[in-house]
Amino acid sequence: AGVFNNTVGTVGNNLTLTTDALSVSGPGSISGGGALTYQPRVAATPMTIDNTTLSAFADGFSSITLGRSDGNALTTVNAVALNDPTVIRQGGGGTITVAGNISGAGDASVTLNAGAAGAINLNADITTAGQAVAFTGPVLLGGGARSINTGSANVTFNHGISGAQDLAITSDGTTRFVGAVTGLNSLLVTGVSSGLTGVTAIDTTTITTTGSQTYNFVVLGGPVTLTNTGGGNIGISEVNGAQSLVVNTAGTTILGA
């Protein structure tokens, strides 16, 4: 275990804490302006991240990384309030389960990295104050309708999304889908002030839902098929990109939505 009975200040230097348990003298005991990494000693060690854990770290780090790049265990993220750009990782193919809402203030972006062979269970919502949210690893939606709100910043799904839930993404930046989206109830991608702001970059070949799909400005990265198996509507405000687009639904296809 790492035990700090006094405050630790790293000024602008980077700090790596490799320990299975952390004991500090009080909130904000560890401070600095560089990059902070807090990780267990071995890749197979599970982690739990909550506000009690994060309270040890004072606001002001250039980034905070929680977990190992080769981690292959389970990280459970309870409800947390972030103040610095934060990476939560089980990068060796582990599992990240978001069990409570993640909120980011100031410059706090959110990156969840389970690796291509891992899994991200998104059972709660993510909100930032105009900072990016990114997922590396297949995302499984659970626990009810899910929402992601980043204000003016980007949302990136580097792998597929599944799960029979509604997903609403609110962003004036670019929302990018790189992997297949399958089995969702509904998918809504819209801007903060109206549905006409923000960009939806579709770099996958297929998006399938059982309910409605609604997109702001769409940019196609390749041939795309949008399918609604439940007969609901598919609405797109505008489409760009010299690629083919196939829309399959027994409902109404609305262009200029």
Side-chain angles (χ1 to χ4, degrees):
V3 179
F4 298 92
N5 293 319
N6 296 296
T7 59
V8 176
T10 65
V11 192
N13 297 318
N14 298 336
L15 174 64
T16 297
L17 302 173
T18 302
T19 177
D20 293 335
L22 184 65
S23 177
V24 298
S25 59
S29 297
I30 299 173
S31 62
L36 169 67
T37 299
Y38 172 43
Q39 61 185 10
R41 293 180 299 115
V42 296
T45 302
M47 296 184 69
T48 297
I49 298 171
D50 53 26
N51 281 326
T52 300
T53 303
L54 297 179
S55 67
F57 310 131
D59 183 13
F61 286 98
S62 62
S63 66
I64 295 177
T65 298
L66 305 169
R68 296 178 60 96
S69 61
D70 61 348
N72 55 25
L74 168 66
T75 291
T76 301
V77 185
N78 295 323
V80 291
L82 307 176
N83 294 304
D84 293 316
T86 300
V87 177
I88 298 171
R89 64 184 183 181
Q90 285 283 356
T95 299
I96 298 172
T97 295
V98 180
N101 292 341
I102 298 175
S103 63
D107 65 346
S109 57
V110 179
T111 300
L112 304 180
N113 181 2
I120 299 171
N121 299 319
L122 188 61
N123 299 333
D125 303 329
I126 302 177
T127 303
T128 69
Q131 301 297 324
V133 171
F135 302 86
T136 296
V139 174
L140 175 64
L141 306 179
R146 299 274 62 91
S147 67
I148 300 170
N149 190 326
T150 61
S152 60
N154 298 339
V155 179
T156 304
F157 295 91
N158 288 303
H159 295 86
I161 312 172
S162 61
Q165 310 291 340
D166 300 321
L167 176 60
I169 301 170
T170 304
S171 169
D172 283 344
T174 297
T175 298
R176 186 176 302 277
F177 299 101
V178 178
V181 180
T182 58
L184 274 60
N185 286 351
S186 67
L187 177 59
L188 171 66
V189 185
T190 187
V192 174
S193 56
S194 73
L196 302 179
T197 56
V199 173
T200 304
I202 303 180
D203 294 336
T204 184
T205 59
T206 181
I207 296 179
T208 302
T209 62
T210 59
S212 62
Q213 299 178 33
T214 304
Y215 305 95
N216 47 15
F217 293 99
V218 170
V219 177
L220 303 177
V224 175
T225 299
L226 305 178
T227 302
N228 186 324
T229 61
N233 297 340
I234 295 179
I236 305 171
S237 64
E238 184 176 314
V239 181
N240 295 278
Q243 305 291 340
S244 64
L245 173 63
V246 177
V247 179
N248 291 327
T249 180
T252 302
T253 299
I254 306 170
L255 298 178

